[in-house]
Amino acid sequence: MPIIRADTGVITQINVFTVPEGGQQALIDLLREAAMSCRGIPGWMSASLHRSLDGTRVVNYAQAQDQAAMQRVFEHLRGNGFLDRNQALGQAHPGLYEVALTVE
């Protein structure tokens, strides 16, 4: 389950993909496959996939317990060809983040 709280040490990768018309579902399917393959990696926590209502973007919000765990996830994804396959389906704009503040 995603954790959105400050001062937890959790690292979040937010990756916004720009996709060609009609390309959202193919990328979502691939990102789902990638996320399912990460479930056994120590420190992996969750992935949440979002599709824009205008059909042009997909956002992947993925979390790991810390930076070392996120690095293990990246190594797994790279080693299994997921990053290359993602590039074929959309233009990625990734970033790593920590929660600074939540207002409830």
Side-chain angles (χ1 to χ4, degrees):
M1 174 172 281
I3 295 175
I4 305 174
R5 297 234 183 274
D7 302 319
T8 63
V10 170
I11 300 298
T12 303
Q13 182 205 33
I14 301 173
N15 199 346
V16 180
F17 293 88
T18 303
V19 297
E21 185 176 338
Q24 279 182 321
Q25 194 58 51
L27 181 57
I28 289 168
D29 292 345
L30 178 59
L31 293 173
R32 179 187 185 283
E33 180 185 346
M36 295 299 288
S37 78
C38 290
R39 294 178 78 190
I41 296 172
W44 182 87
M45 294 174 60
S46 68
S48 302
L49 304 176
H50 308 261
R51 71 175 103 230
S52 67
L53 297 180
D54 68 2
T56 64
R57 289 176 304 283
V58 172
V59 176
N60 182 10
Y61 184 96
Q63 292 188 307
Q65 290 176 343
D66 53 34
Q67 285 186 308
M70 190 61 81
Q71 185 61 41
R72 287 190 295 272
V73 169
F74 288 151
E75 289 169 5
H76 168 81
L77 294 172
R78 188 175 298 108
N80 287 281
F82 286 108
L83 300 183
D84 291 335
R85 291 167 62 195
N86 288 348
Q87 288 180 356
L89 297 175
Q91 184 178 11
H93 304 280
L96 294 178
Y97 302 88
E98 62 184 358
V99 177
L101 174 73
T102 57
V103 177
E104 297 180 13

